[in-house]
Amino acid sequence: MKKMIWVKLLFAFLVFGASMMVACGDDDDDSVNMADDDANDDAGDDDVNDDSVDYVDDDVNDDADDDLDDDLDDDLDDDVNDDSDDDVNDDLDDDLDDDADDDETLSIKTFSEVPGDGCSIAVDSGNYAHIAYIDWQNNILKYTTNRTGDWITSDINTVGYADQHTSIDIDSNDKVHITFVDWWNDSLMYTTNSRGDWLVETLNVSCSTNRFNSMIVGPSDYVHVVHHDRLNDCLYYVTGASGSWVEENLYCPTSHYTFMVGEALAIDDNGTVYISYVDTDADQIKVAQKANGVWSSLTVDLSLNISTHDTAIAVTGAGHVYVSYFDTIAQLLKIGNNASGSWQIESISTAGNEGEHSIMKADAQGKIHLVFNEYYPDYFNYATNESGQWTQVQVDDSCGRAPYFSMDLGSDGRVYVVYKICDSGSGEMTYAVFPEGYAGQ
C-alpha cells in the first residue's frame, strides 16, 4: 500500500516535472519570440531610424539646398540690385555730373549754320530756350527751340521781307510771342503761337518802322512793344492791353534824330511800363514811365553830350530802375539806378568802345545781369553785381557787334544768351549758358 502511494507520488512528480519543462520550454519560445519581436522591433526601429535619418537627411539636404538657393538668390539679388543700383546711381551720378558741369561751366553751342541777324532769346518756365532770328539770305523769320531736347527750327513767315531785328518773349502758359519788321512794307509785325498755329499780323500802319523794336509780355499776358520810326525818328509804344492794338507817339526830337537799338522796355509786377531812350534835343538819358494809364518822364543823366547810341533798361521786384548806356564823351559803358531814391551813376567798362550796345536783366534777388560788346575788337562781355560789386568777364571774341546778341534769365539762376558768330563771315547763330557766379570765376 505504501509502495503504491510512493509510485503515485513518483508519477505525479514526473508529470509535474514534465509540465514544468514544457512550461520552461514555452518561456524560452516566448523569449525567442520576444527576442525576435525585439529584433523585429529593432529592425522596425532601424527602419524608422533609417526613415528618420532619410527624412532628416532629406530635411537637412532640403534645408541646405534651400539655404544654398536662398544664398544664391540673395547673392544674385544682391548682385542684380547692386548692379541695378550701380547703374541707377551711375546714371544719376552722370546726370548730376552733367548738371554740375552745366551749372559750373560755360556752355557754348552753335545751333544753326544759317547766316542770321537780329537774334533774340526768351527762356520758359522749364528753362528751355526760345530764339527768334532773321535768315538774311532768304529774309525769313526763323524760330528755334530746344524744348524737346534737340534744336527744332521753323520758318514763321515766307511773305514779305523780314529784316534785321527781332524781339521775343514767353507768356504765363509758355507760349511764344515775337515782333519783327517787314522792311518792304515798312511795318512792325507780330506773331504768336498762343492760339495754336502761328498767326502773323501788322501792329502799325501809321509810320515807317525802323529795324529795331523791343517787346515784352506783361501781367495778364498783354503784349507791349516800343519801336523806332525811321522816317521822322520818333519812338512809338504799342500795346494790346485794351483788347485791340493801340499805338502812341512816345517821343519825337525837334532838331536831332533819336536812335533805338536793343531792349529798352521793362514792366514791373504792377504793370507799370518803363522805356529808356536818348533825348537828343536835351542830350539826356531819360525814362518814360506809364503808371495807371498816365505817362511821366524821369531823367537819368543830365551831364552827357550824347549822340546816337542805344540804351537798355531793367526793373527789380522792388521797383528800382536800372538804365545802361554808352557815354560817347568818356567812351565808357555806364549804368544809372534810382535804388537809393535818387539817380546814381556807375561806370562799368574801363576801355573805349566797350558797351556801345548792351542788354540788361534783373533777377529775382534784384541783382543785375548785363551783356555788352566791345566794338573793336569784336569782344562779347558779361557783367553782374551779384557779389555786391560789379565784376565782368569776356565770353567770346568771335563777335560782339550790335544788334547781334540777346539775353534772358532762367529760373535756375543761369544766364542764357544767343549771339551771332561773325568773324568768319558765315554768321552762325550760337547759344551760350552762363553758370551762377560766372563773372566771378
Side-chain angles (χ1 to χ4, degrees):
M1 186 68 180
K2 289 180 179 180
K3 184 177 178 178
M4 287 298 291
I5 293 171
W6 282 107
V7 170
K8 289 182 179 180
L9 289 171
L10 179 62
F11 179 77
F13 179 77
L14 290 173
V15 171
F16 177 78
S19 64
M20 289 297 294
M21 289 179 66
V22 171
C24 290
D26 290 339
D27 288 340
D28 290 339
D29 289 339
D30 289 340
S31 297
V32 172
N33 289 336
M34 290 178 64
D36 291 340
D37 290 340
D38 291 339
N40 290 334
D41 289 341
D42 290 340
D45 290 341
D46 288 340
D47 290 339
V48 171
N49 290 337
D50 289 341
D51 290 340
S52 298
V53 170
D54 289 340
Y55 291 143
V56 171
D57 288 342
D58 289 340
D59 291 339
V60 171
N61 289 335
D62 289 341
D63 291 341
D65 290 339
D66 290 339
D67 291 340
L68 180 59
D69 290 340
D70 290 340
D71 290 339
L72 290 175
D73 290 337
D74 290 340
D75 290 341
L76 180 59
D77 288 341
D78 289 340
D79 289 339
V80 170
N81 289 334
D82 287 345
D83 290 342
S84 178
D85 289 342
D86 288 343
D87 290 340
V88 171
N89 289 333
D90 287 344
D91 291 340
L92 181 59
D93 289 343
D94 289 342
D95 291 341
L96 291 176
D97 289 341
D98 289 342
D99 290 341
D101 289 341
D102 288 343
D103 288 342
E104 295 173 2
T105 61
L106 170 67
S107 171
I108 298 179
K109 299 176 182 178
T110 297
F111 65 86
S112 173
E113 296 181 356
V114 175
D117 274 336
C119 53
S120 58
I121 186 171
V123 179
D124 66 22
S125 61
N127 294 311
Y128 294 105
H130 302 259
I131 298 169
Y133 64 99
I134 303 299
D135 171 1
W136 58 261
Q137 287 184 330
N138 301 295
N139 296 107
I140 293 174
L141 171 67
K142 288 184 175 289
Y143 161 72
T144 188
T145 181
N146 62 353
R147 188 175 178 85
T148 62
D150 297 320
W151 289 105
I152 305 297
T153 300
S154 305
D155 293 345
I156 303 303
N157 77 305
T158 56
V159 178
Y161 191 93
D163 189 60
Q164 195 163 0
H165 191 70
T166 68
S167 186
I168 189 171
D169 204 5
I170 305 294
D171 65 25
S172 61
N173 297 310
D174 283 340
K175 297 301 183 180
V176 180
H177 303 255
I178 302 171
T179 53
F180 64 101
V181 174
D182 179 346
W183 184 253
W184 276 352
N185 296 305
D186 282 331
S187 297
L188 177 66
M189 310 300 294
Y190 165 75
T191 184
T192 182
N193 64 357
S194 62
R195 288 165 282 181
D197 295 334
W198 289 99
L199 299 175
V200 181
E201 56 185 305
T202 301
L203 293 193
N204 72 308
V205 293
S206 60
C207 62
S208 298
T209 299
N210 203 331
R211 297 178 177 90
F212 306 114
N213 63 91
S214 181
M215 183 267 298
I216 284 182
V217 179
S220 302
D221 290 337
Y222 293 132
V223 174
H224 306 260
V225 188
V226 60
H227 69 99
H228 178 228
D229 173 8
R230 64 184 175 85
L231 291 184
N232 57 27
D233 294 315
C234 293
L235 290 181
Y236 286 86
Y237 166 73
V238 183
T239 183
S242 65
S244 59
W245 296 110
V246 176
E247 185 175 63
E248 298 178 70
N249 187 327
L250 182 65
Y251 167 73
C252 289
T254 58
S255 57
H256 299 81
Y257 66 91
T258 188
F259 193 63
M260 175 194 162
V261 181
E263 300 175 12
L265 173 65
I267 299 178
D268 66 19
D269 294 338
N270 297 319
T272 300
V273 177
Y274 303 84
I275 300 170
S276 60
Y277 66 99
V278 179
D279 181 340
T280 55
D281 290 327
D283 287 331
Q284 295 174 352
I285 300 294
K286 290 188 175 181
V287 173
Q289 174 180 302
K290 187 177 186 179
N292 299 318
V294 179
W295 286 101
S296 60
S297 179
L298 308 174
T299 300
V300 178
D301 196 336
L302 300 171
S303 61
L304 299 179
N305 185 12
I306 297 174
S307 58
T308 59
H309 295 285
D310 67 306
T311 66
I313 191 169
V315 180
T316 69
H320 301 150
V321 181
Y322 288 75
V323 179
S324 64
Y325 56 95
F326 186 71
D327 185 334
T328 57
I329 302 301
Q331 292 287 294
L332 294 174
L333 173 64
K334 293 185 176 181
I335 290 182
N337 74 85
N338 64 355
S340 64
S342 61
W343 288 99
Q344 306 295 318
I345 310 299
E346 302 175 271
S347 295
I348 303 302
S349 61
T350 57
N353 294 319
E354 283 188 355
E356 290 186 333
H357 177 53
S358 61
I359 296 172
M360 188 165 49
K361 300 286 184 179
D363 64 25
Q365 288 72 43
K367 300 301 183 181
I368 303 300
H369 303 263
L370 182 75
V371 290
F372 60 96
N373 70 327
E374 184 176 350
Y375 199 73
Y376 294 109
D378 288 330
Y379 290 157
F380 172 52
N381 303 318
Y382 164 66
T384 181
N385 64 352
E386 280 183 304
S387 64
Q389 60 183 4
W390 287 101
T391 57
Q392 68 180 71
V393 63
Q394 183 184 109
V395 180
D396 199 341
D397 61 1
S398 61
C399 192
R401 297 183 179 180
Y404 300 146
F405 58 85
S406 177
M407 175 189 68
D408 200 9
L409 304 180
S411 59
D412 55 1
R414 295 187 288 177
V415 179
Y416 294 75
V417 176
V418 60
Y419 61 102
K420 172 184 174 181
I421 300 294
C422 59
D423 58 349
S424 63
S426 56
E428 295 97 337
M429 305 307 297
T430 302
Y431 164 75
V433 180
F434 305 164
E436 288 187 272
Y438 174 62
Q441 296 178 2

